[in-house]
Amino acid sequence: MRYILSLFLVFSLFSGAQNNYPQDYFSSPLEIPLILSGTFAELRSNHFHSGMDIKTQQRTGLKVKASANGFVSRIKIAHYGYGKALYITHPNGYTTVYAHLQKFSPEIEAFIKKKQYEKESYEIELFPKAEDLPVLKDNLVAYSGNTGGSGGPHLHFEIRDKQERPINPMLFGLDIKDTTNPIIKSIYAYPLDKNSFINNSNTKQKLRLTPLKNGDYTAENIEAIGNIGFAINSIDRQDLAANSNGVYNIQTFINGSRNFEIDFKRFSFDETKHINQLIDYEHFSTKKQRLQKLFRKNNPLSLFKSTLNEGVIKVEDSTYSVYKIRVADFKNNESWVTVHIKGTKKSISKPEEEKITPYYINADQTTNLKAGHVSVDFYKDTFYENFYIDFEVKNDTLKLHKDIKAAKKNFTITYDVSKYSNEDKNKLYIAKLIGYKKYPSYTYTKRKDKLLIGSTKKLGTFALAMDTIKPTISAVNFKSKQWLSKYRYLKVKINDVGSGISNYRATINGKWILMEYDYKKNTLTYDFNDGVIMDTKNNLKVIVTDNVGNNSTFETLFYRK
């Protein structure tokens, strides 16, 4: 049976592999061998990974080249996310993206710095015209870095189509050495309604997984009745890296017929949020493991290719079925899991009773919850499903269920703070209480008269928190009244222990200077090569403001010839 299925799949995959993506158009953006720390559509927190993360030998400053002729169509610099990012549009309609950069090529760097000084802002987004910054294939456009939300030095590289949809770069002929089969780490079976059971239980079951000598797996046999589904935790590894990367294709079969497929080839940014419905969100929230569901429920993702009964297995009494899962990487290395299912009604226990609360969420309706001085507004289609929600207010603490329900979009939490003095109102913010110690983490908060309005996508416990502590500012690589003639950079350390840093402004002799903020190191860095100052005696002034308006000012003198 496995041989027959393998022949069928090889044929179908070969047929599906034919594509119109140009194979020799884009070259590698780096001059070193391509080794990945992250693959396309990998499962990440709240999103699919939209490109490939290329290792840069644990260092920054490697030359980044244009993958094809084109022009710089977008430049975005942000403290978080992609950090310093460059977008190049090509004549064939595709756009390549290069992110977490250290800096740009001299011509592009001069272009962007001029705009930053005009706007007096480090964070900036520009859309140059085609004639402003044309580039040729293999020309230097930037240097690799570790800016933004990067967890270590690497180059994030993307290819997008005309609709701004990211596509797996390996479809364009960028080759990664990979002869290693995907790894299946765990498998779970799910009863999908109150009338369905697995091994006499109405709750999900972790199945014992046994690796076979040929690289495949067998799961323990199960007895079931009703509608059931499965989920797996799987990873892939390329030959030259030990990173746990994402897989490319997953298919399932029941008694030889395909009933589910998801293909990680292309997606849109509008749908990437639905990853939280693709995975078992409660399992991830509580155990930090991503189980990918092999059935489709209220999920509009375009990654689904072919599904029979949405991947759900209907098990009837006195039947025997063979369920198979095929997990493959881009190079078509594959791993199979086999589960034998016996249909039986014997010894069925009572289903687990749903917890009933006074508050119910209809996913297709707007819901307002209010108690005391706190209200919560869930808009239509905030959640994927209906459920009873825990809602309780004690003093300034709001218990809003557990973070086990995936949300599609933000909801609002509103506190009436009229009982507080005007001075205290200005220092309050809404915080989510994190972890065992209930550490207050800042939730984006707006002030409107006597109201504080927070916006978030995560359920949990919230409270009012007060921040009366000003940010701290200190010199890193210089002292007051020091001569800095031979220095290239001026560095300042900033920090805030309460609501977090909101913004900063730095001047020398009253002129605004561009200071790059690295939130991972809490540093601001100024490059003397910007040529802002010409005086010998210089007064540096840095003002830092936190999210409730506390601010600190740091002033010092230095000398430079």
Side-chain angles (χ1 to χ4, degrees):
M1 175 64 74
R2 182 183 189 279
Y3 176 73
I4 295 173
L5 280 173
S6 295
L7 283 178
F8 168 75
L9 282 169
V10 167
F11 175 76
S12 64
L13 285 171
F14 177 78
S15 300
Q18 306 303 311
N19 63 66
N20 296 319
Y21 301 115
Q23 296 301 293
D24 300 313
Y25 192 89
F26 296 108
S27 63
S28 170
L30 294 174
E31 298 173 330
I32 59 174
L34 293 183
I35 302 174
L36 303 187
S37 60
T39 51
F40 181 81
E42 204 166 80
L43 308 183
R44 300 282 180 90
S45 292
N46 302 312
H47 71 285
F48 295 102
H49 188 228
S50 56
M52 55 168 54
D53 285 344
I54 306 172
K55 289 175 174 282
T56 55
Q57 302 174 340
Q58 299 181 333
R59 52 196 178 115
T60 61
L62 273 63
K63 293 180 179 179
V64 176
K65 305 180 301 178
S67 282
N69 294 345
F71 68 95
V72 176
S73 55
R74 182 184 179 194
I75 306 169
K76 186 174 182 180
I77 298 179
H79 298 142
Y80 309 102
Y82 280 7
K84 294 183 179 181
L86 189 70
Y87 301 70
I88 298 176
T89 295
H90 307 280
N92 64 354
Y94 292 101
T95 296
T96 51
V97 183
Y98 315 75
H100 305 305
L101 302 169
Q102 180 190 64
K103 59 182 178 180
F104 305 101
S105 65
E107 182 183 6
I108 300 173
E109 189 80 10
F111 180 90
I112 189 68
K113 279 199 173 183
K114 179 182 177 181
K115 301 297 183 180
Q116 286 174 309
Y117 273 97
E118 287 176 359
K119 294 178 177 290
E120 295 192 353
S121 175
Y122 170 73
E123 291 194 302
I124 197 169
E125 184 173 18
L126 298 172
F127 298 90
K129 297 177 182 178
E131 62 270 20
D132 289 338
L133 295 170
V135 297
L136 296 176
K137 185 174 184 176
D138 294 331
N139 275 11
L140 175 72
V141 293
Y143 295 88
S144 67
N146 186 31
T147 57
S150 170
H154 73 278
L155 175 67
H156 175 90
F157 178 72
E158 296 179 20
I159 299 179
R160 300 182 184 180
D161 64 15
K162 291 180 180 179
Q163 287 76 47
E164 282 290 300
R165 295 175 298 188
I167 305 168
N168 191 328
M170 286 189 272
L171 287 165
F172 294 83
L174 294 176
D175 190 45
I176 307 297
K177 188 175 182 181
D178 187 357
T179 60
T180 305
N181 291 346
I183 299 169
I184 315 299
K185 303 182 75 172
S186 60
I187 179 171
Y188 286 74
Y190 292 68
L192 297 180
D193 54 55
K194 65 180 181 180
N195 297 315
S196 301
F197 298 84
I198 297 170
N199 295 338
N200 195 36
S201 173
N202 190 236
T203 60
K204 76 179 181 186
Q205 303 289 304
K206 183 176 183 179
L207 306 184
R208 185 174 62 254
L209 197 61
T210 303
L212 304 177
K213 290 183 179 180
N214 66 353
D216 293 338
Y217 302 81
T218 183
E220 65 178 286
N221 299 341
I222 63 172
E223 295 184 351
I225 197 74
N227 296 318
I228 69 171
F230 292 86
I232 58 170
N233 177 226
S234 63
I235 62 169
D236 186 45
R237 289 196 172 103
Q238 283 78 48
D239 290 3
L240 302 177
N243 300 77
S244 297
N245 294 334
V247 302
Y248 181 70
N249 180 277
I250 302 176
Q251 298 174 347
T252 69
F253 301 82
I254 184 71
N255 297 328
S257 297
R258 184 174 355 190
N259 80 316
F260 177 88
E261 181 180 2
I262 187 164
D263 194 38
F264 298 100
K265 180 184 295 183
R266 183 188 69 190
F267 62 88
S268 69
F269 287 107
D270 288 341
E271 63 180 332
T272 191
K273 61 189 175 185
H274 298 305
I275 188 175
N276 288 330
Q277 184 67 355
L278 176 66
I279 64 171
D280 182 334
Y281 184 79
E282 179 176 351
H283 191 93
F284 174 69
S285 181
T286 55
K287 301 184 183 298
K288 304 307 176 188
Q289 298 171 347
R290 291 187 178 92
L291 297 179
Q292 180 176 306
K293 293 182 286 190
L294 305 180
F295 53 92
R296 183 177 187 175
K297 184 178 180 182
N298 301 327
N299 196 338
L301 276 174
S302 64
L303 295 168
F304 295 106
K305 295 305 173 189
S306 58
T307 62
L308 176 65
N309 196 29
E310 304 290 24
V312 175
I313 310 301
K314 185 174 180 59
V315 182
E316 297 180 346
D317 189 27
S318 302
T319 60
Y320 292 86
S321 302
V322 178
Y323 180 77
K324 287 183 175 288
I325 306 168
R326 178 187 183 269
V327 182
D329 60 26
F330 184 81
K331 290 297 186 72
N332 210 27
N333 303 301
E334 61 180 28
S335 295
W336 288 77
V337 183
T338 302
V339 186
H340 293 272
I341 306 169
K342 179 181 179 182
T344 178
K345 289 183 177 179
K346 70 178 184 180
S347 302
I348 293 178
S349 63
K350 290 184 178 180
E352 184 175 326
E353 292 186 5
E354 183 179 14
K355 181 182 177 182
I356 307 298
T357 75
Y359 310 99
Y360 190 73
I361 299 293
N362 281 300
D364 61 352
Q365 298 178 12
T366 296
T367 303
N368 172 263
L369 305 177
K370 183 173 176 58
H373 60 302
V374 182
S375 64
V376 182
D377 289 290
F378 298 109
Y379 306 105
K380 181 180 178 181
D381 292 327
T382 295
F383 297 100
Y384 292 92
E385 57 193 21
N386 304 335
F387 65 99
Y388 286 97
I389 189 170
D390 291 321
F391 173 73
E392 182 183 14
V393 176
K394 287 186 177 180
N395 298 321
D396 286 337
T397 299
L398 163 65
K399 290 185 179 180
L400 192 60
H401 215 71
K402 294 180 180 178
D403 183 21
I404 57 175
K405 298 292 184 180
K408 302 179 192 179
K409 55 188 177 183
N410 284 21
F411 55 89
T412 60
I413 300 171
T414 303
Y415 277 80
D416 184 332
V417 293
S418 55
K419 68 178 181 179
Y420 288 90
S421 67
N422 289 333
E423 182 179 357
D424 287 344
K425 285 178 189 175
N426 292 330
K427 304 302 179 185
L428 290 171
Y429 64 95
I430 299 173
K432 184 175 183 183
L433 303 184
I434 304 295
Y436 176 76
K437 295 184 178 180
K438 304 297 182 185
Y439 176 81
S441 176
Y442 177 80
T443 296
Y444 176 74
T445 305
K446 294 190 300 183
R447 290 166 176 76
K448 186 176 180 181
D449 299 326
K450 63 180 182 179
L451 303 178
L452 289 184
I453 305 170
S455 179
T456 181
K457 283 179 68 174
K458 291 183 176 291
L459 298 169
T461 302
F462 299 84
L464 285 182
M466 183 172 290
D467 182 3
T468 59
I469 303 174
K470 295 181 179 181
T472 59
I473 311 171
S474 59
V476 173
N477 65 337
F478 66 98
K479 297 178 181 179
S480 179
K481 299 181 181 179
Q482 183 177 346
W483 281 90
L484 305 179
S485 301
K486 297 182 179 181
Y487 281 51
R488 168 74 184 272
Y489 299 104
L490 187 69
K491 295 187 178 183
V492 172
K493 189 177 185 69
I494 63 175
N495 198 18
D496 187 78
V497 297
S499 57
I501 291 170
S502 172
N503 59 73
Y504 63 91
R505 180 179 176 83
T507 59
I508 293 178
N509 299 334
K511 295 180 181 179
W512 183 86
I513 60 170
L514 176 64
M515 296 201 84
E516 181 172 335
Y517 177 39
D518 184 342
Y519 75 93
K520 289 171 285 193
K521 296 181 179 179
N522 296 318
T523 56
L524 297 176
T525 302
Y526 167 66
D527 186 348
F528 282 115
N529 283 359
D530 285 358
V532 174
I533 63 171
M534 305 299 294
D535 300 326
T536 300
K537 183 178 181 181
N538 298 283
N539 179 64
L540 171 67
K541 183 177 183 180
V542 181
I543 302 173
V544 179
T545 306
D546 66 19
N547 280 300
V548 299
N550 297 310
N551 64 77
S552 297
T553 301
F554 172 86
E555 286 193 82
T556 190
L557 289 174
F558 68 88
Y559 299 91
R560 182 177 172 86
K561 288 184 179 178

